[in-house]
């Protein structure tokens, strides 16, 4: 097929034969083949790739793709009680509106003067997260929460000059995998025992393991299993006494009602911003954040872009610029100890919109509402024969464990039963935490009305019988 | 050649910070109401929280009515030069049209409101999408299996480094093979991520052709070589014709070869990583494959491997299910640890898939050829712009999809730098260009990548702007150095973001520190001339 | 903004020789010859360009100029009302005037000295002030081997203005000493003369570009750690001149001559500023299994790691140690600053030069290397 035939398509205007000819003439070559002179002929594809027949018509394309994803079940049509790192919350119309704005959607590496709006939105994201977590330095979004945790614990190791990292034994298997892979070359991981009664970290075990080699201690609040840690200040003291730094991972949506880690002694805070006005996208909505106090020794270790506000030359004007890029892998290249590139800024902007809408009242109300709904669901499920909620007496946010061991049924069976009624049950924990037996992690958020929770309970009752 | 003065004026809203728009009591949105029955059943859940867990003071978030939040962010979006709005030729970024139909499809609840753990039978559409796109990417790249788990190019390259690590570890050779070779003009991530993965990094400096010599590679190869990780064409738009030799030499030495296809746009349908001998590769779906850049993300990398490396890919993988349909294979086996949560950036996969389906094989080849043709059209004109030179004159090959220009001559003759040009071009209504990644080997660098989406008129508009700025540099250099004049914001004090006493990344810090900005006793800080 | 106190010293005859094909403008004979050939003073004109650009910025400056055509005239031409140091001299000025002017300035409260000239002028400043006051050099001489000069008069002006705005860090840049007689005879034989403190503005100074100050420091520390870690017990280490080698010495906690070759064994300095004879003597008495090692860094604007500033490490020495025992270290910054990232060697032996030419690994950090081209 001749290269000079050109190609007509809405996305490639200059491939149109007449235009192509004009450009070839201007450039002074006979065909585009000449422009590939640097590529050895032996490496060049002969003919066309074996790809599916194209659908240049937008209508046909849309039918085709929507036909494929139409096979998915949406959590809008089904009741969903699964969380475990990706959660179904209400996404305000304004969040979709703004993250859909073409200017934000298709901006990229513009700077202080060309993308002032994007920069301000990012500064506002950093600021609003800072308010929630009680920290004055917040970076632009990380790839996901796991990446933020990785950056945080290795940062702490570099700052303290130590290799040891103590991780709460309650983190998810996936989280542990991510941390293990990233920290392999630079840190030694060990686990803090969990008190089975409370589901929280065992402070005696923590103290026992806090040797002078430990640079970072990490726990999550709420934990992976939804439990709320109230001994933050005590833990911080213990950790600091040993010369280590405290890293806390949070659900920012809980911070309207839960204490800010910055206020109880955390040195570095990380979390996932997906609950803040971002759709689940089957996990594609996950995006992390990293925060610390405003101290040079912390700031110099942040791997991602930090947006700083700065004064304009005219009185009262402000602008924004990327700060201290020599911290980053862009500059450090082969000397890098962490890396960052394109991450998830669009979700950061969405989160900024979300928090601007919610305000303090909204965050308080949603926090309360989730605490209530989750507790109600847990209480009702606990009444069912064959189901136990081991931490019912504790405080939990959004998620809680239900132990079905006594029912004689596996979580897989129970979830299949729920699915038959168009309900997605909790995440099966039996593989991840075998000591919990046939347990599942149920997630209840503000989108669940009482009738939804009642339906879950009634259906569970049926499935368990 | 004289240039017409631009009459472009960016929106300048002087929009206050959202925190400054706060008025006590205003509500932006109301969460779902508390159910009275539930409340009665559970009691005061907040009061019941243990003291150490309870938030004592509400977070100081702004209180802003809904329409004002909307206006705020709408105005900010207007002060942003996305590709949807204007020409953007930022080098190495592969800016192109992100078809709107993709956005509308991706908004469907059947994608947006899918939970990653809701069960394979409930996500068949998603799995089929990933499976099909996997096959497409294998065909495009010559690889055998892909994962879409990494959330950006850099994370994709990091995945490559982890795969190399796992391979040598499985053969008991990791202790010995601890060196990765890359080049100075490969993306910084090609040097950074192997370092993060624990490797020693050897960087090949360019020869007189502007790319690395085979002899340089030979000097770097040893029995400690774990692999080669490079970008080709490099960030200078130059393709290294000896790439096959590079790969063969590294293979001979027992190393693996990873192809960073960040600059893969000109190679679509023309050259395949697999045919070039590489063992693995990564593509940026948010560059080459039209998924929108998202203001610096939602990124997604497609990481592909040859068959013998399939077992090392991070889980889960999408596979065909017995009896039809698709499933997620979570069986860990020798798979490397997870790179990112869950399965991947699904919307980007959908958009990339849709883009390829719209264009087809002939279309992809047209994309590549047109991007290269457009670039050489720009190059032809840029050679005539006063003050511009093209580095590495010994290299007579046509450039592929981008060119790194130098304004060194303009600087010597007028004092106007490439950074000045970059700032000034915003006044012409076009997005600014990037100078260069580090290391900035080319003096006064300026890297432009037109891509395949633009019309000739749009390319001419960019050229006219650069010619006008050049003319201004030679006739009124002070004016050329003082831009931009018509941007969304005035020039800023660029020392503040570099000064620990002055920088402010949150509103809180800003409140606390802004008084110091005008202090006479501000410290002398170390300045940094950045690339990007 | 407080006014910057800017010293100004112009060597008015620097660069005269070059325009008419002579090498240098040092001696009275050369100057006379240059004038015969119609040479015009270059230095004042280029200084004028820089001063005009500085003046146009309209920022508060107190200019303290050496008298007459050593600065005062050009300063007034540009619009300044300078404070004048010393008195005007008749005829062609000699180096002593530059030295005296600089010394006088260094005694005053002064923020920055702007000077115009060539290598000779730079050496005068090293003699006069060393690192006491930061300097900005306007390139005007024909011999530009020293790294301290801005890339152009415009660049020099920008450096002054940027330095004023908020201050920048300084770094030590090399001043070379070319053997004039040998140079005129067609040979290039350079020594490292010393260092001047120059504001750190990578894109404006001749041949400094990549990296950034803090990354440079990190790299130096990494290089030093790597080299020290590789030192064998009983091994004779021959450390060349330069700031990179000084970093190695710092890592060992020992003194090192900045401009000379020092010998180190087991963390102890055996000899400082050793000449070829001393080096050979130590090589010959070495009685260990560990082969000796040469550790050098590129010196001068052409990136010579043999032949500029370290000729004491002669071809004889190199051959005795063995090419395989040579380590070259440089920060990425230094490599990137070299034209085409090219290193050079000039050992005096063409055979040896050819063996050293080609591609070579250079240590750029603790865990990093760059492969650079070495030319003869």
């Amino acid at each position: 097929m001749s290269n000079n035939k050109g190609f007509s398509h809405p996305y490639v205007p200059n491939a149109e034969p007449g235009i192509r000819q004009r450009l070839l003439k201007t450039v002074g070559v006979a065909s585009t083949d000449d422009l590939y002179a640097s590529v050895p002929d032996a490496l060049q594809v002969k003919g066309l790739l074996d790809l599916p027949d194209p659908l240049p018509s937008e209508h046909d394309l849309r039918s085709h793709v929507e036909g494929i994803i139409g096979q998915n079940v949406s959590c809008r049509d089904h009741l969903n009680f699964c969380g475990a790192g990706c959660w179904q919350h209400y996404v305000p119309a304004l969040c979709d509106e703004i993250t859909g704005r073409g200017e934000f959607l298709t901006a990229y590496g513009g700077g202080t003067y060309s993308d002032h709006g994007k920069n301000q939105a990012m500064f506002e994201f950093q600021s609003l997260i800072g308010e929630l977590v009680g920290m004055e330095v917040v970076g632009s979004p990380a790839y996901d929460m796991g990446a933020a945790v990785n950056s945080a614990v290795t940062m702490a190791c570099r700052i303290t000059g130590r290799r040891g990292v103590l991780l709460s034994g309650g983190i998810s298997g996936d989280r542990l995998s991510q941390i293990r892979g990233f920290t392999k070359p630079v840190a030694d991981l060990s686990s803090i025992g969990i008190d089975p009664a409370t589901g929280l970290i065992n402070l005696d075990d923590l103290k026992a393991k806090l040797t002078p080699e430990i640079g970072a201690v990490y726990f999550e609040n709420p934990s992976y299993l939804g439990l709320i840690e109230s001994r933050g200040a005590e833990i911080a003291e213990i950790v600091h006494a040993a010369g280590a730094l405290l890293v806390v991972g949070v659900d920012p949506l809980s911070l309207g009602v839960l204490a800010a880690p910055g206020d109880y002694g955390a040195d570095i805070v990380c979390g996932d911003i997906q609950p803040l006005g971002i759709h689940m996208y089957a996990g594609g909505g996950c995006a992390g954040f990293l925060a610390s106090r405003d101290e040079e020794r912390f700031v110099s270790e942040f791997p991602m872009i930090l947006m700083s506000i700065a004064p304009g030359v005219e009185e009262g004007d402000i602008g924004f610029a990327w700060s201290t890029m020599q911290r980053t892998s862009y500059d450090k290249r082969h000397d890098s100890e962490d890396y960052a590139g394109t991450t998830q800024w669009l979700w950061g902007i969405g989160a900024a919109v979300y928090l601007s809408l919610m305000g303090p009242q909204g965050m308080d109300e949603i926090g309360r509402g989730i605490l209530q709904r989750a507790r109600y669901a847990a209480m009702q499920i606990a009444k069912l024969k064959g189901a136990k909620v081991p931490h019912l007496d504790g405080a939990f946010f959004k998620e809680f464990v239900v132990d079905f061991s006594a029912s004689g049924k596996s979580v897989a069976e129970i979830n299949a039963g729920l699915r038959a009624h168009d309900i997605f049950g909790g995440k099966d924990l039996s593989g991840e935490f075998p000591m919990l037996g046939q347990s599942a992690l149920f997630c209840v958020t503000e989108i669940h009305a009482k009738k939804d929770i009642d339906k879950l309970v009634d259906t569970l009752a049926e499935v368990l019988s | 050649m004289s240039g017409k003065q631009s009459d472009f004026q960016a929106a300048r809203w002087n929009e206050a910070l959202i925190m400054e728009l706060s008025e006590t009591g205003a509500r932006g949105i109301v969460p779902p109401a508390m159910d009275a029955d539930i409340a009665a059943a559970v009691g005061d859940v907040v009061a019941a929280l243990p003291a150490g867990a309870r938030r004592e003071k509400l977070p100081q978030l702004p209180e802003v009515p809904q329409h004002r939040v909307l206006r705020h962010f709408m105005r900010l979006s207007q002060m942003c030069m996305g590709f949807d709005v204007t020409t953007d030729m930022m080098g190495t970024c592969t800016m192109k049209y992100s078809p709107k139909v993709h956005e509308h499809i991706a908004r469907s609840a059947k994608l947006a409101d899918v939970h990653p753990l809701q069960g394979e039978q409930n996500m068949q559409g998603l799995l089929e999408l990933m499976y099909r796109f996997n096959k497409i990417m294998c065909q495009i790249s010559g690889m055998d299996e892909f994962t879409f788990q990494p959330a950006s190019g850099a994370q994709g390259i990091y995945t490559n480094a982890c795969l190399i690590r796992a391979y040598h570890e499985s053969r008991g050779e990791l202790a010995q093979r601890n060196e990765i070779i890359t080049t100075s003009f490969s993306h910084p991530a090609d040097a950074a991520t192997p370092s993060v993965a624990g490797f020693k990094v050897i960087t090949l400096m360019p020869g007189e052709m502007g790319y690395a010599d085979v002899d340089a590679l030979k000097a770097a190869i040893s029995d400690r070589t774990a692999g080669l990780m490079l970008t080709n064409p490099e960030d200078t738009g130059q393709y290294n014709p000896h790439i096959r030799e590079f790969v063969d030499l590294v293979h001979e030495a027992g190393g693996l070869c990873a192809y960073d296809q960040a600059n893969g746009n000109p190679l679509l349908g023309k050259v395949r990583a697999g045919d070039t001998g590489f063992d693995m590769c990564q593509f940026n779906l948010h560059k080459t494959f039209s998924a929108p850049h998202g203001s610096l993300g939602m990124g997604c990398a497609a990481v592909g491997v040859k068959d013998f490396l399939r077992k090392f890919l991070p889980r889960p993988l999408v596979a065909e299910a017995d009896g039809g349909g698709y499933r997620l294979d979570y069986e860990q086996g020798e798979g490397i640890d997870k790179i990112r949560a869950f399965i991947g950036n699904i919307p980007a996969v959908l958009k990339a898939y849709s883009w390829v389906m719209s264009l087809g094989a002939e279309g992809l080849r047209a994309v590549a050829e047109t991007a290269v043709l457009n670039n050489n059209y720009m190059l032809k004109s840029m050679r005539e712009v006063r003050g511009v030179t093209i580095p590495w004159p010994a290299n007579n090959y046509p450039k592929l999809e981008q060119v790194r220009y130098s304004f060194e001559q303009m600087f010597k003759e007028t004092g106007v730098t490439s950074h000045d040009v970059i700032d000034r071009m915003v006044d012409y209504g076009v997005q600014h260009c990037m100078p260069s990644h580090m290391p900035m080997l080319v003096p006064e660098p300026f890297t432009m990548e037109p891509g395949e989406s633009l019309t000739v008129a749009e390319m001419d508009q960019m050229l006219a702007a650069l010619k006008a700025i050049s003319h201004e540099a030679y006739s009124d250099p002070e004016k050329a150095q003082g831009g931009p004049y018509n941007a969304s914001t005035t020039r800023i004090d660029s020392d503040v973001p570099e000064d620990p006493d002055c920088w402010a990344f949150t509103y809180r810090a800003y409140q606390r520190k802004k008084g110091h900005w005008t202090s006479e006793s501000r410290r002398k800080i170390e300045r940094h001339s950045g690339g990007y | 903004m407080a006014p910057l106190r800017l010293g100004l010293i112009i060597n008015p005859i620097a660069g005269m020789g070059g325009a008419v094909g002579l090498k240098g403008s040092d001696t009275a004979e050369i100057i006379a010859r240059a004038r015969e050939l119609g040479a015009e003073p270059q230095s004042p004109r280029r200084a004028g360009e820089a001063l005009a650009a500085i003046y146009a910025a309209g920022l508060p400056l107190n200019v303290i100029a050496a008298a007459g055509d050593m600065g005062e005239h050009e300063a007034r031409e540009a619009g300044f009302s300078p404070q004048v140091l010393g008195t005007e001299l008749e005829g062609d000025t000699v180096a002593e005037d530059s030295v005296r002017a600089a010394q006088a300035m260094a005694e005053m409260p002064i923020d920055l000295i702007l000077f115009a000239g060539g290598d000779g002028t730079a050496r005068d400043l090293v003699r006069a002030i060393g690192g006491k006051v930061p300097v900005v050099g306007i390139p005007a001489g024909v011999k530009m081997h020293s790294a301290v000069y801005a890339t152009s008069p415009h660049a020099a002006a920008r450096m002054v203005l940027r330095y004023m705005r908020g201050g920048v860090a300084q770094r030590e840049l090399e001043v070379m000493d070319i053997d004039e007689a040998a140079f005129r005879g067609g040979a290039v034989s350079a020594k490292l003369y010393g260092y001047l403190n120059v504001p750190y503005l990578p894109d404006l100074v001749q041949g400094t570009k990549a990296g950034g100050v803090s990354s440079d420091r990190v790299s130096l520390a990494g290089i030093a750690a790597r080299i020290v870690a590789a030192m064998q017990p009983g091994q004779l280490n021959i450390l060349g001149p330069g700031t990179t080698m000084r970093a190695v010495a710092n890592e060992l906690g020992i003194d090192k001559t900045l401009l000379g070759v020092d010998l180190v064994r087991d963390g102890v300095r055996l000899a400082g500023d050793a000449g070829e004879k001393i080096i050979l003597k130590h090589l010959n008495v070495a009685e260990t299994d560990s082969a000796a090692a040469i550790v050098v860094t590129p010196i001068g604007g052409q990136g010579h790691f043999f032949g500029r500033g370290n000729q004491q490490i002669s071809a004889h020495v190199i051959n005795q140690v063995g090419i395989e025992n040579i380590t070259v270290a440089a920060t990425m910054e230094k490599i990137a600053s070299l034209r085409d990232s090219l290193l050079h060697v000039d050992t005096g032996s063409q055979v040896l030069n050819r063996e050293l030419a080609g591609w070579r690994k250079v240590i750029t950090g603790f865990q990093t290397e760059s492969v650079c081209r070495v030319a003869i």
Side-chain angles (χ1 to χ4, degrees), chain A residues 123 308-312 316-320, chain B residues 17 493 495-497 499-506 509-522:
Chain A
F123 175 79
S308 176
I309 190 168
D317 274 4
I318 42 112
F320 305 90
Chain B
L17 297 169
D493 178 347
D495 283 353
V496 163
D499 182 348
D501 296 330
C502 293
W503 68 40
F505 309 114
T506 58
Y510 167 56
Q511 301 282 73
R512 182 169 59 82
K513 294 162 98 166
K514 66 182 177 184
H516 187 66
W517 292 353
T518 46
S519 161
E520 284 290 312
S521 63
R522 260 172 66 176

Side-chain angles (χ1 to χ4, degrees), chain C residues 279-339:
Chain C
I279 299 173
L280 286 169
K281 193 180 94 176
H282 280 270
L283 269 176
N284 290 327
V285 305
E287 281 156 10
T288 71
D289 298 326
S290 302
I294 294 171
V295 187
V296 284
T297 188
I299 297 287
Q302 299 241 279
H304 281 81
F305 60 88
F306 288 128
R308 297 283 180 277
N310 59 10
Q311 290 86 330
Q312 311 87 308
I313 309 177
S314 61
H316 193 12
V317 169
I318 296 169
N319 281 321
Q320 197 156 338
V321 170
I323 290 188
E324 65 281 11
N325 294 313
I326 298 169
T327 298
V328 181
T331 61
M332 184 57 108
E333 164 75 47
K334 176 74 192 188
I335 294 169
S337 76
L338 302 168
R339 199 80 196 168

Side-chain angles (χ1 to χ4, degrees), chain B residues 29 62 268 366 404 414 530:
Chain B
I29 193 166
L268 290 173
R404 179 153 297 158
T414 67

Side-chain angles (χ1 to χ4, degrees), chain C residues 206-269:
Chain C
Q206 261 183 21
T208 45
K209 284 188 209 73
V213 168
S214 48
S215 76
D216 213 30
R217 264 199 247 116
V218 167
S219 304
L220 276 176
I223 289 170
R226 164 95 169 256
I227 289 171
V228 167
M231 289 180 173
Q232 305 291 332
Q235 179 184 49
L236 180 71
N237 289 283
I238 303 165
L239 303 183
T243 50
T244 308
M245 294 300 108
R246 183 179 60 187
V248 174
N250 289 341
E251 178 77 11
L252 286 167
I254 59 175
D255 286 332
K256 189 184 177 307
T257 61
L258 185 57
L259 308 179
V261 176
D262 291 14
L263 305 178
V264 174
R265 190 209 317 271
D266 294 323
V268 172
R269 185 167 70 160

Side-chain angles (χ1 to χ4, degrees), chain B residues 179 198-208 213 215-217 219-220 222 224 392 408 411-415 417 419-420 438-444 478 481 493-495 520 523-529, chain C residues 1-2 56-57 111 151-155 158 162-163 165-169 200-204 209-214 217 226 332 335-337 339-341 359-361 364 366-373:
Chain B
E179 292 179 358
F199 288 105
K200 210 177 93 171
V201 178
I202 303 177
T203 303
L204 307 180
M205 303 307 287
E208 59 164 14
D213 221 79
D215 288 336
L217 177 67
S222 71
R224 291 183 309 286
W392 307 292
E408 187 182 25
F411 173 62
K412 284 208 158 90
E413 294 173 345
T414 67
T417 66
H419 276 94
D420 294 331
M438 291 304 203
M440 302 233 277
L441 302 184
V442 173
E444 300 307 323
E478 224 179 286
Q481 288 170 341
D493 178 347
S494 49
D495 283 353
E520 284 290 312
R523 69 163 103 170
K524 297 180 179 203
I525 47 90
E526 293 173 2
R527 292 282 281 120
H528 170 77
S529 261
Chain C
M1 190 188 299
D111 297 309
T151 52
S152 69
H154 279 289
R158 278 181 84 91
R162 284 250 277 271
Y163 188 76
R165 271 193 327 115
V168 297
Y200 184 73
L201 291 157
D203 48 344
L204 299 176
K209 284 188 209 73
V213 168
S214 48
R217 264 199 247 116
R226 164 95 169 256
M332 184 57 108
I335 294 169
S337 76
R339 199 80 196 168
D340 298 327
S341 315
W359 292 89
R360 155 179 289 276
K361 274 192 195 169
T364 52
F366 188 65
Q367 289 257 82
T368 64
E369 285 155 10
S370 282
V371 177
C372 303
R373 217 165 16 134

Side-chain angles (χ1 to χ4, degrees), chain B residues 380-433:
Chain B
K380 185 107 204 286
S381 283
M382 285 295 284
R383 287 190 195 274
E384 313 304 317
V385 175
R386 192 169 173 202
V388 172
T389 52
I390 317 295
W392 307 292
N395 187 332
N396 284 323
Y397 289 120
K399 311 280 184 243
L400 286 186
E401 84 297 358
Q402 63 189 319
V403 178
R404 179 153 297 158
Y405 301 93
S406 173
F407 280 98
E408 187 182 25
Q409 189 183 327
M410 178 188 286
F411 173 62
K412 284 208 158 90
E413 294 173 345
T414 67
V416 177
T417 66
S418 68
H419 276 94
D420 294 331
V421 174
I422 286 166
D423 284 346
R424 183 77 171 98
M425 60 197 285
V426 171
D427 289 327
Y428 288 80
V430 292
Q431 178 58 275
H432 83 184
C433 244

Side-chain angles (χ1 to χ4, degrees), chain C:
Chain C
M1 190 188 299
L4 184 85
R5 294 162 303 207
L6 181 69
L8 178 64
I9 301 174
I10 299 176
N11 178 347
I13 55 171
M16 273 184 69
V20 290
L22 303 174
K23 288 180 180 171
S25 311
D26 296 78
T27 66
E29 288 130 46
I30 297 188
I31 295 162
R33 180 101 187 85
R35 284 202 197 282
E36 276 171 37
L37 292 168
E40 290 293 312
Q42 295 296 318
S43 183
R45 181 180 59 80
R46 306 197 94 206
E49 268 178 59
L51 289 167
I54 294 170
Y55 186 79
L59 295 171
L61 274 173
N62 288 342
V63 176
I64 300 124
D69 60 0
M70 284 193 65
E72 180 191 353
H73 292 162
E74 294 312 316
R76 291 195 200 285
E77 264 293 317
F80 293 107
S81 306
Q83 181 187 340
V84 179
L85 271 187
T87 53
E88 189 154 358
L89 291 147
E90 290 290 320
D92 293 320
T93 51
V94 294
E96 274 61 50
D97 289 326
S98 300
V99 173
R100 259 186 271 133
Q103 279 170 338
M105 286 181 188
E107 298 304 312
M108 309 169 72
I110 202 158
D111 297 309
L112 186 68
I113 295 178
L114 179 65
F115 70 99
D119 282 327
T121 322
R123 284 199 299 278
D124 297 339
L125 282 167
V126 171
R127 275 207 308 288
I129 60 169
K132 250 198 264 177
V133 182
V135 303
V136 172
I138 303 167
V142 59
K143 285 175 309 184
M144 305 300 304
H145 296 275
S146 296
V148 297
Y149 286 94
T151 52
S152 69
H154 279 289
R158 278 181 84 91
M159 284 176 74
V160 171
L161 295 172
R162 284 250 277 271
Y163 188 76
M164 285 181 69
R165 271 193 327 115
V168 297
Q170 296 165 26
R171 67 197 306 258
E172 294 164 296
L173 293 181
E174 300 152 349
V175 175
M176 301 302 291
D177 179 9
I178 308 289
D179 180 337
E180 312 306 340
F183 189 55
R184 280 188 288 280
V188 181
S189 168
K191 267 183 25 202
L192 179 58
Y193 191 80
Y195 286 84
L196 288 174
N197 272 330
V198 180
Y200 184 73
L201 291 157
D203 48 344
L204 299 176
V205 180
Q206 261 183 21
T208 45
K209 284 188 209 73
V213 168
S214 48
S215 76
D216 213 30
R217 264 199 247 116
V218 167
S219 304
L220 276 176
I223 289 170
R226 164 95 169 256
I227 289 171
V228 167
M231 289 180 173
Q232 305 291 332
Q235 179 184 49
L236 180 71
N237 289 283
I238 303 165
L239 303 183
T243 50
T244 308
M245 294 300 108
R246 183 179 60 187
V248 174
N250 289 341
E251 178 77 11
L252 286 167
I254 59 175
D255 286 332
K256 189 184 177 307
T257 61
L258 185 57
L259 308 179
V261 176
D262 291 14
L263 305 178
V264 174
R265 190 209 317 271
D266 294 323
V268 172
R269 185 167 70 160
L270 305 177
D273 196 11
E276 187 198 7
K277 282 210 178 68
I278 308 273
I279 299 173
L280 286 169
K281 193 180 94 176
H282 280 270
L283 269 176
N284 290 327
V285 305
E287 281 156 10
T288 71
D289 298 326
S290 302
I294 294 171
V295 187
V296 284
T297 188
I299 297 287
Q302 299 241 279
H304 281 81
F305 60 88
F306 288 128
R308 297 283 180 277
N310 59 10
Q311 290 86 330
Q312 311 87 308
I313 309 177
S314 61
H316 193 12
V317 169
I318 296 169
N319 281 321
Q320 197 156 338
V321 170
I323 290 188
E324 65 281 11
N325 294 313
I326 298 169
T327 298
V328 181
T331 61
M332 184 57 108
E333 164 75 47
K334 176 74 192 188
I335 294 169
S337 76
L338 302 168
R339 199 80 196 168
D340 298 327
S341 315
L342 205 54
L343 302 184
H344 282 89
V345 285
D346 182 8
T347 63
S349 154
Q350 271 303 85
V351 171
L352 183 56
N353 290 343
R354 275 197 290 275
E355 281 178 64
L356 289 167
W359 292 89
R360 155 179 289 276
K361 274 192 195 169
V362 174
I363 294 179
T364 52
F366 188 65
Q367 289 257 82
T368 64
E369 285 155 10
S370 282
V371 177
C372 303
R373 217 165 16 134
V374 180
I376 297 174

